[in-house]
């Protein structure tokens, strides 16, 4: 695959979407023009844009660019060498533009993790059929070179595990909850006020954003088609301040992790809150930072950390792909040809084995603990430790925190369902997996 014009000639961009990242890219290309030209071997310039509002001040002069109300026009513009898709979303205009650009043999650079996670296999096949690059470094972990690390830096190794902290909004919320003792709703409102969370934060806090990124990383790591629907997804809405403080007392921190690993029975991929030992490197990654962790048969375990979102980091990742295109060195979409992607079985979450943290709110009366431990015993779950906190006031229910030995997920889920049905349990149990990553 090659990008287009001859070396020395400007690489001309058509940018769809001039929001935070699109404007950030324009500013980056302006401010670092000399450095980028030296590293790319030619200038990289924006010649056309597609955006709804032509009057908005984006901090950079785009008056010389051709403007399109319909982004699809970029796919057929003869003065555009590369289409940069920054619209977002798995369907609609973003998908139409990327498909049209590839069909017209225009290389595409995108930051759209939803599009790549849901349609990555088909887009990869189209890219390969048209001998036209599709690059997406900015789709995973912002300024962290996650895609290049997995696809190129670890190309010679057989990867066993991939994942990490893949959403900065959730990491910020859990960090602030731990440090201040405030509850989820209060910290979420603060994150929205600071611009770390969207007005509708569901994609972030319900784990969907991290699942998109994990699906992409798992496909690269294990050489299989993208299977977003196979990722088990949980968010952080249910995590309370008590869970953060209890985790600390037990020697853990709570992080929303995306984890995928290759086993003899298939690939297990999930996004969920996890207790991780407070001494582990991933536990030290706080605030809006992300961390990508890979483990290979030869390289062992490595972790790269940095800002996972925002104008600067994401624009930098887009520009890195553009420099590869300008130099005529784009990598294949998935690291191997479409024919070599193997449809490996997805291992369901019910088959996972590991330890758990379980928080219950129970009536303060004799026999309650015996009833609960009897259910755990019947479901094959062995307890490691138990802590019962005092009631806030006389007659109130009390928090009961249980930590299990490693056990089968299906058995733990069954036990939790049975325990929740006990009349002495007043709230929905909080179940969190424990990981040693």
């Amino acid at each position: 695959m090659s990008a287009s014009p001859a070396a020395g000639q400007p690489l001309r961009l058509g940018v769809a979407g001039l929001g935070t990242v699109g404007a950030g890219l324009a500013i980056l290309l302006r401010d670092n023009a000399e450095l980028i030209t030296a590293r790319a071997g030619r200038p990289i310039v924006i010649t056309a844009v597609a955006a709804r509002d032509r009057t908005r001040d984006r901090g950079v002069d785009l008056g010389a660019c051709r403007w399109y109300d319909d982004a699809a026009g970029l796919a057929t513009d003869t003065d555009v060498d590369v289409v940069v898709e920054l619209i977002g979303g798995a369907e609609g205009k973003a998908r139409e533009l990327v498909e049209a650009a590839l069909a017209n043999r225009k290389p595409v650079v995108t930051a759209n993790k939803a599009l790549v996670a849901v349609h990555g296999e088909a887009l990869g096949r189209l890219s390969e059929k048209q001998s036209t690059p599709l690059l997406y470094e900015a789709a995973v972990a912002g300024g962290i070179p996650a895609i290049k690390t997995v696809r190129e830096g670890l190309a010679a190794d057989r990867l066993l595990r991939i994942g990490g902290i893949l959403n900065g909004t959730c990491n910020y919320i859990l960090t602030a909850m731990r440090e201040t003792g405030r509850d989820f709703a209060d910290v979420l409102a603060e994150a929205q006020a600071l611009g770390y969370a969207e007005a509708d934060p569901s994609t972030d806090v319900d784990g969907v954003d991290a699942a998109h990124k994990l699906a992409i990383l798992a496909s690269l790591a294990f050489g299989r088609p993208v299977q977003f629907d196979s990722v088990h997804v949980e968010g952080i809405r249910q995590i309370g301040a008590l869970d953060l403080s209890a985790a600390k007392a037990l020697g853990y921190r709570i992080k929303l992790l995306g984890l995928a690993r290759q086993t003899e029975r298939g690939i297990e991929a999930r996004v969920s809150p996890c207790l991780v030992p407070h001494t582990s490197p991933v536990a030290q990654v706080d605030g809006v930072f992300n961390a990508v962790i890979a483990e290979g048969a030869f390289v062992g375990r490595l972790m790269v950390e940095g800002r996972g979102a925002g104008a600067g980091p994401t624009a930098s990742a887009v520009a890195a792909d553009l420099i590869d295109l300008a130099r005529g060195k784009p990598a294949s979409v998935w690291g191997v040809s479409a024919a070599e992607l193997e449809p490996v079985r997805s291992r369901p979450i019910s088959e996972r084995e590991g330890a758990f943290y379980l928080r219950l709110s129970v009536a303060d009366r004799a026999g309650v603990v015996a009833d609960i431990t009897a259910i755990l015993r019947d479901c094959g779950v062995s307890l490691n430790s138990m802590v019962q906190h005092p009631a806030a006031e006389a007659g109130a229910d009390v928090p009961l925190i249980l930590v299990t030995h490693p056990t089968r997920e299906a058995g733990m889920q069954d036990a939790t369902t049975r325990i929740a049905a006990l009349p002495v349990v007043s709230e929905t149990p909080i179940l969190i997996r424990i990981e040693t990553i």
Side-chain angles (χ1 to χ4, degrees):
M1 293 184 185
S2 61
S4 15
Q9 296 298 313
L11 187 69
R12 302 167 299 177
L13 311 182
V15 178
L18 288 175
T20 300
V21 177
L25 175 64
I27 292 170
L28 175 66
L29 293 175
R30 179 196 66 191
D31 291 355
N32 286 359
E34 185 175 344
L35 178 149
I36 289 170
T37 298
R39 292 179 177 175
R42 68 176 82 164
I44 299 177
V45 297
I46 299 174
T47 56
V49 295
R52 286 174 296 193
D53 185 356
R54 302 191 182 200
T55 62
R56 177 181 158 199
D57 182 5
R58 295 175 172 89
V60 60
D61 183 8
L62 297 170
C65 297
R66 289 180 304 287
W67 283 75
Y68 288 88
D69 295 321
D70 183 355
L74 297 173
T76 55
D77 189 324
T78 57
D79 291 323
V80 166
D81 302 314
V82 178
V83 169
V84 180
E85 186 276 303
L86 303 174
I87 301 170
E91 307 296 341
K93 292 186 180 298
R95 181 183 179 186
E96 292 168 6
L97 173 60
V98 171
E99 290 177 341
L102 293 175
N104 282 282
R105 289 190 162 87
K106 285 191 188 296
V108 174
V109 173
T110 181
N112 191 338
K113 80 275 294 182
L115 179 69
V116 179
V118 176
H119 299 295
E121 181 183 1
L123 292 174
R125 290 183 184 278
L126 178 58
S127 167
E128 191 171 304
K129 176 185 175 183
Q130 298 296 97
S131 298
T132 304
L134 168 65
L135 300 179
Y136 52 93
E137 181 65 61
V140 177
I144 301 174
I147 303 303
K148 285 180 169 59
T149 296
V150 175
R151 184 178 57 204
E152 294 147 45
L154 300 175
D157 206 353
R158 182 169 62 87
L159 296 188
L160 308 173
R161 186 158 62 163
I162 193 77
I165 297 173
L166 303 177
N167 184 271
T169 298
C170 289
N171 203 40
Y172 172 83
I173 291 171
L174 291 173
T175 300
M177 288 175 67
R178 185 189 78 235
E179 292 178 345
T180 66
R182 291 179 290 160
D183 275 315
F184 172 81
D186 186 24
V187 176
L188 171 60
E190 176 185 83
Q192 290 171 316
L194 292 171
Y196 296 151
E198 302 288 344
D200 178 2
S202 55
T203 299
D204 290 321
V205 302
D206 293 334
V208 177
D209 176 81
H212 285 145
K213 298 168 185 174
L214 182 66
I216 295 168
L217 288 174
S219 296
L220 281 170
F222 307 131
R224 72 164 186 177
V226 189
Q227 296 181 355
F228 173 68
D229 291 343
S230 72
V231 181
H232 176 85
V233 186
E234 299 175 24
I236 64 169
R237 292 182 192 267
Q238 76 277 21
I239 305 298
L242 176 58
D243 299 310
L244 275 299
S245 63
K248 180 179 179 181
L250 292 166
Y252 295 97
R253 289 183 176 180
I254 298 177
K255 299 291 183 181
L256 182 75
L257 297 181
L259 296 173
R261 66 190 185 101
Q262 192 158 224
T263 74
E264 293 180 355
R265 297 194 294 273
I267 293 173
E268 173 190 302
R270 61 183 168 83
V271 171
S272 67
C274 296
L275 270 72
V276 295
H278 73 91
T279 54
S280 70
V282 74
Q284 310 305 314
V285 180
D286 283 337
V288 296
F289 281 73
N290 284 194
V292 176
I293 299 168
E295 183 179 334
F298 280 79
V299 75
R301 182 181 178 280
L302 61 88
M303 184 178 89
V304 286
E305 173 190 353
R307 292 188 177 274
T314 309
S316 177
V318 170
D321 278 343
L322 292 170
I323 289 171
D324 282 349
L325 282 172
R327 296 182 66 85
K329 296 168 53 177
S332 62
V333 178
W334 296 110
V336 298
S337 70
E340 293 177 288
L341 292 173
E342 298 181 7
V344 183
R345 173 183 181 265
S346 294
R347 187 184 184 202
I349 190 69
S350 59
E351 295 182 10
R352 175 192 175 267
E353 294 182 2
F356 290 87
Y357 161 103
L358 177 64
R359 174 168 63 84
L360 305 169
S361 182
V362 301
D364 191 9
R365 67 179 70 159
V368 169
V369 172
D371 290 344
I372 292 169
T373 54
I375 290 175
L376 292 170
R377 178 201 64 211
D378 293 346
C379 293
V381 178
S382 173
L383 275 182
N384 183 1
S385 64
M386 177 174 63
V387 178
Q388 182 171 327
H389 290 256
E393 55 188 52
D397 288 347
V398 297
L400 180 65
I401 294 170
L402 311 173
V403 176
T404 77
H405 287 292
T407 190
R408 195 174 176 86
E409 176 97 20
M412 191 67 209
Q413 294 288 356
D414 184 22
T416 303
T417 299
R418 295 191 196 184
I419 290 169
L422 291 174
V424 294
V425 176
S426 59
E427 297 178 4
T428 301
I430 302 300
L431 183 66
I432 308 176
R433 297 168 187 87
I434 299 176
E435 289 288 345
T436 57
I437 189 170

